[in-house]
Structure formats: C-alpha cells, structure tokens
C-alpha cells in the first residue's frame, strides 16, 4: 500500500506538465525513436480460405455471429493489396509497420507441414516493406491459433500448446528472421485469458455460468489462470529457442505485449486505493512479475490459491528474464472500486478473485468514445519505471475508437494523437525507457468485438467499393506532418483541417 501511495504522490507532482504539450516535433524524441502504425492478420488480410490457410479460432468466433455478424473473410483484403498499403505507409512517412502472422496460414493444422504459399505471402510483405525503408515489427500470435488445435486438445488450456507454439515460432524465426529484428510473441495474453477463458467474449469463447455469456464449454474459475500459464511458458520457451538458435546470427530483439489501462481510485476511500494496487498486480503483474522475478505476484497467489498454477523451479528459471522489451497497449484510464464482497461467493472467477469493480467516467458501460486522458499513459509508463525497473518499452497500440462512418474529418482523432504523443515525449524526458510508438490502426479494419461498427484507422476503407479504396483521414495528414519533421501544435490542428479539406482526396491515393 505504501508503495502505491508513494507512486501516486510522484505522479501527482507531474500532472501539470502532462495534460497536453502545446507543440512539439519528432526532434523532441530521442535519435532512433520509431514511429509506426499497426494491424493484425485476421483484421486486415482477408483471403481466409485461399492458398492453404485453415480456419483459426477467430474465424470460428466470427462465423458464430459474435462480431455484429461480421467476419474477416475479406476484411480489407491486405492479402491482395499489400503493395498499395505499403505505398501508403511510405507516403505517410512511417518508420515501421507492426503486423501479426497468421499461424493458420503458415502451419494450417497447427503443427506438421508448413504451407509454402503462406511463407510466400509474408516474404512478399516483408520484402515490400524493406524496399520502402519500413521496418517490419512482427507479432507471432493475436487471438488466432488454428481451430484444429482447439478441436484436438483445447488450445491454451493444454500444455501441448507450449510445444506447438514454440515449433511455429521457430518456423517464423528461421524463415523471416534474416529481415525481422523485432518480435513479439503473444499479443495481450492478459486480455485473452480473461476474455477467452473467463467471460467468453473473445475467441475461443470458453467460460462457465454464472460468469460467462452463452458458453457451452469451459470453466471460468481456473481456465483463465491455466491458459495464461501456458501462454507465459510458450512465450518463454520461444524466447529461449530464439536466443539459442537465432538471435546471435540475426541480431533481433523479442518481447511480450500486454494490454494496460491506468487505474485511479473511484473514491478517496483507502479500500479503493488498495483495489487499484491489487488490480495492477492482477492485470500487469500477472505477466510482468514472472518475467522480472520468476514468480507470480504474491497477492494473486494468496487470493487465487491452488487455482493459480505454480511455476516450478525449472519454469521459473525459464520465464525469468525472458524478454528484451515489453510491448504496451494503452488507450485510456478507468476507475477502480473495491468489490471484495466477491470473495465470499461460492464460485469465483478472475474478476471475483481480483475483487475490483471497474467504473468508466461515463458510467459502468464502456463509452463509444473513450475519454482523452493522455496523463494516463504517462502514469502507466511511470508505474513500469518505478515498479519494474524501467524496462525497454514499445507502445504497440494507442489510438482513438470512433463510430465507423465515411467522414474523413476526424479532428477528434488528431487531437487524441496530439495529446498522447505529446505526453509520451514528456514521459521520455522524465526518464521512461520507451523506444517506439505505434498508433492503432493503419486502416479502418475488422475489430475483435465490433466487427466493422467502430474504427481507429488513419485511412478509411470503403467497404461498399469492390476495390476497397483507401482514403486518408485528416489524422493521416497530421501524423505524416509529425513523421516528416514538422512542428505540430494544438492551434495548428484546426489550421491543418482547413488546409487539408481543400486538397483532392487523391492526395495519398493514386
């Protein structure tokens, strides 16, 4: 408790400087700092049934109607339009592009024969990026293991997944590692464990009553911890293999990407301040503490008990230190309210174990557009610095969710990016070890829960156009201004809007 209070005091002394920086340029960032944008395989590629790709659990989830009836069968067809998209990246001025590889496209059955056409696609994409001076940053896994492994042994609830994931990672390291210097293993495993194995709202939609929604299989009381345990071991096993067989020759770095939000107490009650500390341990410490110390957070072991798998001595040694960087996904701040009454329930899941109720600023429901709280990003990074020794960090996702429509005048997204990137510059000046920033997302694409109902993209994609034409939003021009060395300012946002609305919409699209 004292540790958290001390951290909050430190953060509050900085708050005046982080609400928003009036103006800055990329010269305010260290030399070599990377700016990019990101997507993931199922969200952009399409070609779901082409060239030997097999269904993943995300295909199954989407075809069961869980994303407003939408699927990624076509998505925005980057599989066929990757050259056009890379050209847009280059014209925007991106240093790097973060994308994920589809396990189902590389090894359709999850293990065994490798699909040469899958290898060819990613080789083509990687080569196209490099030919345009854009660094490829690769995530190996994003909610999409092959359905064949889910059918055979339950995917992440089986320890067999550790071996199969490591073998898949080895194929990627071997085939692409001569050109890939930045690898992330599992994307937001903390959310996947909760959403996919407790609440049943993400693939593979495992859960049990009374906690999950419309689930026919699973156990919300222990499967989130079991799945997370296997993800952690799969990550560490892949890192060990990479370091032993590939890193020395290829010279890359490898890490793990976590979803984070900053938490503030919902009231000034001590129990809500304690709830914040507990929630940070359950959401961030769940993975970062084993990476640093080789063991799960003490509070989790005490509360969850035997439902939390224990790390053996060998596993602890495997996991400890198994990262070169931490990927951070961050969008907003939420408020934490003590809910330890849940500890009295006969049956408990992850949320009940945590004993915290999350409250959003506009009520308990997640608002359509999250509030702009750039100071929350700085608080999050300060927490990593103070609690976990200031590890190297890449911001792997940050962006604004809006309702998807055809307007290209996304002034609110420009203001969001201006505020968060400015806060990031200030945080780095204060000593945070952040190496790069990837805004989410390059394109309006298929979203995990929302299908095509919401959007984060710099580029609008017209889904009614057979050619799926890409059109730059104002935010694309704003980001391009920053990346090309111009000074961006709050006053300049409105001036940019006025200037760019007079440009032909073909400015980026030929």
């Amino acid at each position: 408790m004292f540790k958290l209070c001390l951290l909050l005091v430190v953060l509050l002394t900085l708050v005046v400087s982080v609400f928003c920086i009036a103006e800055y340029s990329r010269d305010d960032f260290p030399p070599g700092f990377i700016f990019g944008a990101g997507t993931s395989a199922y969200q952009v590629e399409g070609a779901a049934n082409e060239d030997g790709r097999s269904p993943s659990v995300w295909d199954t989830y989407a075809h069961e109607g869980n994303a407003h009836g939408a699927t990624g069968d076509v998505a925005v067809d980057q599989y066929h339009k990757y050259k056009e998209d890379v050209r847009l990246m280059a014209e925007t001025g991106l240093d790097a592009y973060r994308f994920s590889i589809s396990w189902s496209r590389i090894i359709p059955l999850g293990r065994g024969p490798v699909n040469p056409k899958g290898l060819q696609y990613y080789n083509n994409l990687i080569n196209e990026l490099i030919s345009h001076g854009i660094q490829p940053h690769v995530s190996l896994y994003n909610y999409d293991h092959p359905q064949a492994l889910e059918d055979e042994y339950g995917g992440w609830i089986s320890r067999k997944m550790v071996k199969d994931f490591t073998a898949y990672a080895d194929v990627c390291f071997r085939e692409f590692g001569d050109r890939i210097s930045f690898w992330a293993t599992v994307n937001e495993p903390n959310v996947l464990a909760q959403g996919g194995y407790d609440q049943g709202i993400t693939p593979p939609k495992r859960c049990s009553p009374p906690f999950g929604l419309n689930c026919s299989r699973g156990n919300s009381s222990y499967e989130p911890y079991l799945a997370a345990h296997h993800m952690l071991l799969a990550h560490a096993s892949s890192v060990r293999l990479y370091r032993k067989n590939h890193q020395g020759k290829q010279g890359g770095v490898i890490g793990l990407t976590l979803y984070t939000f900053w938490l503030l107490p919902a009231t000034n009650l001590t129990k809500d301040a304690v709830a914040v500390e507990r929630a940070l341990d359950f959401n961030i410490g769940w993975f970062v503490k084993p990476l640093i110390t080789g063991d799960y957070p003490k509070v989790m072991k005490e509360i969850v008990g035997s439902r939390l798998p224990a790390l053996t001595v060998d596993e602890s040694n495997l996991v400890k230190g198994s990262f070169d960087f931490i990927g951070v996904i961050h969008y907003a701040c939420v408020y934490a309210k003590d809910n330890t009454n849940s500890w009295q329930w006969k049956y408990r899941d992850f949320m009940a174990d945590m004993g915290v109720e999350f409250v959003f600023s506009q009520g308990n429901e997640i608002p359509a557009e999250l509030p702009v709280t750039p100071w929350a990003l700085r608080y999050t990074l300060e927490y990593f610095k103070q609690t976990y020794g200031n590890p190297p960090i890449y911001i792997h996702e940050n962006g604004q969710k809006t309702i998807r429509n055809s307007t290209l005048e996304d002034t609110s997204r420009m203001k969001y990016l201006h505020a968060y990137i400015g806060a990031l510059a200030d945080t780095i000046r204060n000593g945070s070890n952040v190496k790069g920033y990837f805004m989410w997302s390059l394109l309006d694409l298929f979203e995990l829960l929302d299908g095509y109902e919401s959007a984060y993209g710099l580029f609008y994609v017209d889904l009614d156009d057979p050619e799926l034409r890409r059109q730059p939003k104002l935010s694309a021009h704003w980001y391009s201004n920053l990346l090309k060395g111009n000074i961006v300012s709050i006053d300049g946002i409105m001036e940019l809007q006025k200037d760019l609305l007079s440009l032909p919409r073909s400015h980026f699209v030929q």
Side-chain angles (χ1 to χ4, degrees):
M1 178 61 189
F2 174 78
K3 182 179 178 182
L4 176 64
C5 291
L6 178 62
L7 173 61
L8 291 175
V9 168
V10 171
L11 294 171
L12 289 172
T13 64
L14 301 171
V15 70
V16 173
S17 66
V18 300
F19 278 109
C20 195
I21 297 175
E23 65 177 34
Y24 56 88
S25 73
R26 69 176 304 161
D27 289 339
D28 290 295
F29 292 82
F33 189 87
I34 295 168
F35 282 101
T39 65
S40 84
Y42 189 70
Q43 296 180 266
V44 293
E45 286 180 4
N49 303 308
E50 292 184 38
D51 292 341
R53 182 187 181 276
S54 69
S56 73
V57 292
W58 201 341
D59 290 83
T60 302
Y61 171 89
H63 278 270
E64 289 174 348
N66 293 298
H68 294 272
T71 75
D73 288 358
V74 176
V76 294
D77 198 25
Q78 189 168 89
Y79 189 78
H80 298 106
K81 298 173 74 68
Y82 69 91
K83 289 187 177 182
E84 176 183 340
D85 288 344
V86 171
R87 179 172 54 79
L88 294 179
M89 297 176 212
E91 292 177 357
T92 304
L94 298 187
D95 301 322
Y97 177 51
R98 176 177 174 258
F99 62 97
S100 74
I101 291 175
S102 167
W103 188 348
S104 294
R105 198 178 293 285
I106 295 292
I107 308 176
L109 296 179
R111 65 174 178 276
V114 175
N115 177 19
K117 290 187 177 180
L119 296 180
Q120 180 181 3
Y121 169 70
Y122 290 110
N123 274 317
N124 289 343
L125 173 60
I126 291 165
N127 291 340
E128 190 73 13
L129 289 166
I130 291 172
S131 72
H132 284 78
I134 298 170
Q135 290 180 358
H137 286 235
V138 169
S139 293
L140 289 169
Y141 177 84
N142 194 62
Y143 292 89
D144 59 349
H145 58 273
Q147 183 64 41
L149 299 185
E150 187 70 16
D151 293 340
E152 181 182 344
Y153 55 68
W156 288 114
I157 63 169
S158 170
R159 195 180 181 92
K160 293 179 181 178
M161 195 71 157
V162 177
K163 180 179 179 181
D164 286 343
F165 181 86
T166 305
Y168 155 65
D170 192 31
V171 171
C172 294
F173 298 148
R174 186 175 65 247
E175 297 290 339
F176 312 127
D178 59 328
R179 288 150 293 155
I180 302 295
S181 297
F182 302 88
W183 297 96
T185 53
V186 182
N187 192 62
E188 50 188 45
N190 49 348
V191 174
L192 173 56
Q194 295 174 58
Y197 296 87
D198 180 359
Q199 301 163 6
I201 58 174
T202 69
K205 204 176 179 184
R206 296 181 67 95
C207 59
S208 60
F211 306 108
L213 297 173
N214 301 318
C215 294
S216 59
R217 58 196 178 126
N219 187 310
S220 296
S221 291
Y222 73 86
E223 282 193 3
Y225 302 110
L226 185 63
H229 187 70
H230 293 149
M231 287 182 233
L232 183 64
L233 295 178
H235 156 79
S237 174
S238 300
V239 171
R240 179 176 63 183
L241 182 145
Y242 181 68
R243 288 175 170 171
K244 179 181 178 182
N245 296 343
H246 303 287
Q247 192 171 40
K249 295 177 290 186
Q250 298 173 355
V253 293
I254 189 166
L256 180 74
T257 301
L258 293 174
Y259 187 96
T260 70
F261 41 75
W262 185 245
L263 291 161
L264 291 176
T267 72
N268 60 3
L269 295 175
T270 300
K271 65 180 182 178
D272 286 350
V274 174
V276 166
E277 186 172 12
R278 191 167 59 248
L280 289 170
D281 276 332
F282 266 73
N283 284 280
I284 296 176
W286 191 8
F287 286 88
V288 178
K289 190 141 193 308
L291 296 181
I292 300 290
T293 70
D295 201 4
Y296 291 116
K298 180 180 178 182
V299 68
M300 291 189 72
K301 295 197 293 183
E302 291 174 345
I303 294 171
V304 181
S306 61
R307 288 178 292 121
L308 180 68
L311 287 160
T312 67
V313 172
D314 287 344
E315 289 171 348
S316 177
N317 291 333
L318 174 70
V319 170
K320 185 177 179 181
S322 63
F323 71 99
D324 298 319
F325 67 87
I326 303 290
V328 166
I329 294 174
H330 178 89
Y331 290 95
C333 174
V334 298
Y335 297 86
K337 185 176 182 180
D338 177 79
N339 188 33
T340 49
N341 289 336
S342 62
W343 292 351
Q344 309 305 316
W345 296 353
K346 182 178 180 180
Y347 301 106
R348 298 220 306 255
D349 68 339
F350 180 89
M351 292 298 296
D353 290 334
M354 185 164 48
V356 176
E357 178 185 358
F358 294 127
V359 181
F360 293 87
S361 62
Q362 299 179 11
N364 290 342
E365 295 297 321
I366 301 176
E369 294 187 18
L370 293 174
V372 178
T373 55
W375 45 266
L377 176 58
R378 178 160 188 177
Y379 285 9
T380 301
L381 296 173
E382 191 70 23
Y383 177 76
F384 274 95
K385 186 172 76 172
Q386 297 288 337
T387 307
Y388 295 114
N390 205 18
I393 283 176
Y394 288 87
I395 306 299
H396 271 168
E397 289 185 29
N398 172 248
Q400 187 186 53
K401 173 184 175 180
T402 60
I403 302 299
R404 192 183 196 284
N405 54 51
S406 60
T407 181
L408 305 178
E409 301 174 37
D410 59 341
T411 305
S412 65
R413 183 168 287 106
M414 284 195 290
K415 291 179 178 178
Y416 180 102
L417 293 173
H418 184 278
Y420 278 85
I421 295 174
L424 179 58
D426 201 34
T427 305
I428 293 171
R429 280 193 292 270
N430 195 52
S432 285
N433 192 14
V434 184
K435 303 294 187 181
Y437 171 90
F438 292 80
M439 71 82 57
W440 186 267
S441 52
L442 176 70
L443 308 163
D444 287 347
L445 38 71
F446 177 88
E447 289 294 340
L448 174 58
L449 300 178
D450 296 340
Y452 302 103
E453 300 296 315
S454 64
Y456 292 81
L458 294 173
F459 290 84
Y460 169 74
V461 181
D462 186 352
L463 299 179
D464 295 323
D465 180 353
E467 299 300 317
L468 295 171
R469 189 161 69 104
R470 282 80 159 123
Q471 295 176 274
K473 302 178 189 177
L474 292 179
S475 58
H477 297 286
W478 179 90
Y479 199 39
S480 183
N481 261 357
L482 171 67
L483 301 189
K484 292 176 181 178
N486 297 319
I487 294 174
V488 293
S489 67
I490 296 174
D491 292 339
I493 286 178
M494 301 313 296
E495 195 62 34
L496 179 65
Q497 181 180 25
K498 185 196 308 180
D499 293 343
L500 293 179
L501 286 175
S502 65
L503 287 174
R505 288 308 177 197
S506 61
H507 181 64
F508 273 76
V509 181
Q510 297 177 356

